[in-house]
Amino acid sequence: MAHRPIPPHGTDARYKGTRTGNRPPCRCPRCTRAHRQADLQRELRRQRGERNLVPIEEVLPHVKMLRASGMSQTLIARQAGVSQAVISYITTGRNKTVQAEKARRILAVQPRRFDGNAERPALGSTRRIRALYSLGHSRADISALSGLSKASISALADGRWKILDNKAATALANAYRQLALKRGTSWKNERRAAAEGWHGPLAWDDIDDPNEQPDTAGVVRLAKRPKAAIDLTLVARRTAQGRSAEEIAAEIGCHKRSIVRARRRAEMEVAA
């Protein structure tokens, strides 16, 4: 179990210790002086009409909003510069007030600001991969740009991952920006996305917002690829040259199966 770090000497927190007695109060000259200065600052704020303590009702809705955006209590505390216990006590209602300065820092934290040490909801990453599938991008294309393995991309597309570390999510978002404006070559992924009802990039305003619904009204869909014209004479000539069906398909711009069927038609015409 991780323990909270002990405040350094010369601080009001070190002077007070903890309520549970796990860390006894310190009465050294430095801590005593820090406590007196803190008391003076509190009195000055009181005289100016400023509050030293803020009811948690003024902070709790903001903390709930941050949590709903996928931020953990630890991440909120880290960005606010307070201990995780402060956020926990606000959430559980253990404390009824919070120090005004801590409340100000907590209220300044913005939602979905994930740093390099944080985990984040995988929903946005799942939506990105599904949107790229709808454009016909393959796992190999996404993997090459994001650095994620093909297995990881499949797991995200299937919705099997609920949490993703920020480094991987950021890499995937960068790959998404590069691929979202062009078509891919995977007809399988494109057909799967259509069957599953997955939406393309233009359907999302904020793809990371868990409360957002895809907007398909007025979405401009890219035109379907025209079917490649299969030249039976060319197929027969390339086959005679020893070219494989995959190689001929890549040259013409169609699927391997189309070449296999074209070969059969060519053989039937010769036979006739």
Side-chain angles (χ1 to χ4, degrees):
M1 178 178 178
H3 296 281
R4 293 172 53 190
I6 299 177
H9 283 288
T11 60
D12 189 36
R14 186 67 177 265
Y15 176 90
K16 292 180 178 179
T18 59
R19 297 177 181 178
T20 60
N22 293 334
R23 189 181 72 248
C26 177
R27 296 294 185 263
C28 74
R30 292 174 58 194
C31 291
T32 301
R33 182 168 59 252
H35 175 65
R36 289 173 180 170
Q37 291 174 347
D39 273 345
L40 178 61
Q41 292 297 322
R42 285 189 282 267
E43 179 61 22
L44 290 174
R45 287 195 296 270
R46 187 190 66 79
Q47 293 180 8
R48 290 196 298 264
E50 300 175 2
R51 295 178 297 177
N52 288 318
L53 297 175
V54 174
I56 64 168
E57 289 78 13
E58 298 183 17
V59 185
L60 181 58
H62 186 72
V63 173
K64 287 183 175 180
M65 182 268 291
L66 296 177
R67 295 285 287 122
S69 76
M71 299 176 70
S72 65
Q73 290 188 10
T74 302
L75 176 59
I76 298 170
R78 186 162 62 244
Q79 296 202 358
V82 301
S83 70
Q84 190 271 336
V86 171
I87 306 300
S88 176
Y89 293 165
I90 292 173
T91 303
T92 61
R94 174 174 173 176
N95 290 353
K96 302 305 179 184
T97 59
V98 60
Q99 293 178 12
E101 176 59 23
K102 292 181 179 179
R104 182 190 65 78
R105 297 203 298 267
I106 293 170
L107 292 172
V109 176
Q110 298 299 309
R112 299 204 302 274
R113 296 297 176 87
F114 300 97
D115 57 29
N117 298 321
E119 290 184 332
R120 60 190 298 176
L123 177 61
S125 297
T126 292
R127 287 174 173 175
R128 285 182 173 89
I129 290 177
R130 290 175 175 179
L132 294 179
Y133 273 27
S134 75
L135 295 178
H137 290 293
S138 66
R139 293 187 307 159
D141 293 338
I142 303 171
S143 175
L145 285 176
S146 67
L148 274 68
S149 68
K150 294 179 182 178
S152 298
I153 292 168
S154 291
L156 285 167
D158 294 342
R160 286 185 275 129
W161 287 3
K162 304 304 179 184
I163 297 294
L164 187 65
D165 70 83
N166 187 59
K167 183 178 179 181
T170 300
L172 183 58
N174 291 334
Y176 174 78
R177 282 191 289 270
Q178 298 179 60
L179 295 173
L181 297 178
K182 57 185 179 181
R183 298 293 291 267
T185 58
S186 175
W187 62 272
K188 283 187 177 181
N189 284 353
E190 190 171 349
R191 189 167 66 181
R192 179 188 177 187
E196 297 279 2
W198 294 344
H199 302 280
L202 296 179
W204 302 102
D205 181 34
D206 185 353
I207 201 168
D208 289 303
D209 185 354
N211 297 316
E212 180 169 345
Q213 297 298 317
D215 180 11
T216 56
V219 170
V220 178
R221 300 186 182 277
L222 296 176
K224 293 184 177 180
R225 302 184 187 90
K227 292 185 178 180
I230 307 297
D231 186 338
L232 298 184
T233 303
L234 176 62
V235 171
R237 186 165 59 249
R238 293 289 185 265
T239 301
Q241 293 171 352
R243 302 280 291 278
S244 67
E246 291 88 346
E247 292 172 333
I248 301 173
E251 178 182 350
I252 295 177
C254 64
H255 194 269
K256 170 187 171 183
R257 293 179 186 172
S258 299
I259 301 301
V260 173
R261 288 193 291 266
R263 282 176 170 175
R264 291 174 182 168
R265 290 199 302 272
E267 291 172 358
M268 292 172 62
E269 290 184 5
V270 171

